[in-house]
Amino acid sequence: MAPTLPLTLVVITRNEAQKIARCLDSVPFAAEKLVVDSGSTDDTVAIAQAHGARVVHQTWLGFGPQRNFAATQCSHPWILALDADEFLTDALIDELQQRLPALMEGDAAAAILRRHLIYMGKPMRWYRPAVGEKMARFYHRDRARWSDVRVHESLQFQGASVTFNAPFLHDNNPSLVEKQLKVLLYSELKCRDWLEKKKSARMWQTPFVFMLAFIKDYLLRLGFLDGWRGYAISQTAANYAVYKRMRYYEMLQNPASRETAAEALTRSGLDH
């Protein structure tokens, strides 16, 4: 057994039975493991408890608010935030155990971890966002908080930070089917944020958005070096950039579609 450190591993979940055990078990040094579940109908809760986690139920608030709620439930002020489909490598476990005690005694606000992507069952090798993507995932809850957005949240802090070298892994979407379902959900959440901000639709930009997004990912971010997997991830990203704009335009033109879409997502189990 690895010696524990006074920190809380936090994972927010809904129907993550196939992934949650690997995530929780990859952080053997956490003094506390907390799962904040928003209504799983599979065995997520039972599996999380069997793997040492305390489970708290919270109706879904959006990614940012849900993470901020989770921080209030932790027994320790230092928090490691992972998603259920993420897990630490042995190299990162060793590095964290060696460096975290000194970090936690200082006045740093957060630590940056490097995330590597597993896509279509294999690690990406060249695509820039998938190889060593820097993400603030370890933080002191009194010195940092998550942005209050429904999706694509980020950790906000003003103080000092440190960066760790070894990666953690993101086993992204078992198939393109799951990816497309996530695109539907994330687009809906993003569009609702836009509605609150009264953003203009600017549909004239849409044809250029696809082209520029694809070129950025496939060429500038080196997706082409990962072969057809690089093409697939770049094309999917460009489609997402276009679809959320079309969906937002529809929300403005036909406000009734907001409710019917929400009902459709709920029936399909995609309301998170």
Side-chain angles (χ1 to χ4, degrees):
M1 293 290 292
T4 59
L5 296 174
L7 62 89
T8 299
L9 165 66
V10 170
V11 188
I12 57 175
T13 61
R14 185 170 185 267
N15 292 338
E16 300 287 3
Q18 296 181 348
K19 308 168 186 174
I20 188 63
R22 179 181 60 184
C23 176
L24 294 172
D25 291 348
S26 77
V27 191
F29 53 82
E32 179 184 47
K33 298 178 182 181
L34 174 67
V35 167
V36 177
D37 188 79
S38 57
S40 291
T41 56
D42 62 7
D43 293 331
T44 297
V45 170
I47 293 172
Q49 291 171 333
H51 286 260
R54 175 167 61 92
V55 179
V56 174
H57 175 78
Q58 172 59 51
T59 302
W60 185 244
L61 302 171
F63 281 96
Q66 193 83 352
R67 292 192 192 278
N68 286 326
F69 167 82
T72 69
Q73 304 300 302
C74 297
S75 301
H76 303 281
W78 283 103
I79 297 169
L80 173 62
L82 292 179
D83 292 336
D85 57 0
E86 297 171 341
F87 56 99
L88 304 188
T89 60
D90 290 341
L92 182 55
I93 291 172
D94 291 341
E95 186 178 7
L96 290 173
Q97 288 178 312
Q98 292 173 16
R99 296 179 59 189
L100 280 182
L103 170 66
M104 295 165 66
E105 291 177 2
D107 58 359
I112 311 299
L113 306 183
R114 301 176 188 270
R115 186 172 76 170
H116 285 198
L117 177 67
I118 299 172
Y119 185 72
M120 292 188 175
K122 297 188 297 184
M124 299 293 279
R125 296 182 59 195
W126 297 99
Y127 177 57
R128 292 297 90 196
V131 183
E133 180 183 14
K134 293 183 178 180
M135 311 189 78
R137 289 299 189 86
F138 184 72
Y139 66 101
H140 193 290
R141 68 180 171 197
D142 295 332
R143 304 168 192 168
R145 68 178 277 112
W146 296 91
S147 53
D148 287 313
V149 294
R150 291 181 174 87
V151 68
H152 304 317
E153 73 287 7
S154 60
L155 189 66
Q156 309 292 305
F157 59 92
Q158 297 295 325
S161 65
V162 300
T163 300
F164 288 84
N165 297 313
F168 69 105
L169 299 180
H170 179 204
D171 195 358
N172 188 353
N173 305 308
S175 73
L176 286 177
V177 173
E178 283 89 352
K179 177 60 178 178
Q180 294 304 317
L181 294 175
K182 187 174 289 186
V183 163
L184 291 175
L185 173 62
Y186 283 14
S187 296
E188 204 70 14
L189 296 174
K190 189 64 176 179
C191 288
R192 290 187 178 273
D193 281 341
W194 287 346
L195 280 172
E196 290 182 356
K197 296 176 181 178
K198 296 181 170 54
K199 180 178 177 177
S200 58
R202 299 177 182 174
M203 282 298 289
W204 64 269
Q205 296 178 347
T206 302
F208 305 102
V209 165
F210 180 89
M211 178 178 63
L212 293 174
F214 182 82
I215 289 173
K216 179 180 71 174
D217 278 10
Y218 192 63
L219 296 179
L220 302 182
R221 291 179 168 178
L222 306 183
F224 70 95
L225 292 177
D226 276 305
W228 286 113
R229 289 189 304 138
Y231 176 87
I233 203 169
S234 301
Q235 197 259 9
T236 301
N239 279 342
Y240 170 58
V242 169
Y243 173 76
K244 63 187 176 184
R245 285 166 172 80
M246 293 192 301
R247 174 63 184 129
Y248 183 59
Y249 178 76
E250 181 183 31
M251 283 183 171
L252 295 176
Q253 294 297 309
N254 180 20
S257 70
R258 305 171 195 176
E259 187 63 30
T260 58
E263 292 172 356
L265 289 172
T266 298
R267 289 195 302 271
S268 303
L270 297 177
D271 57 344
H272 210 283

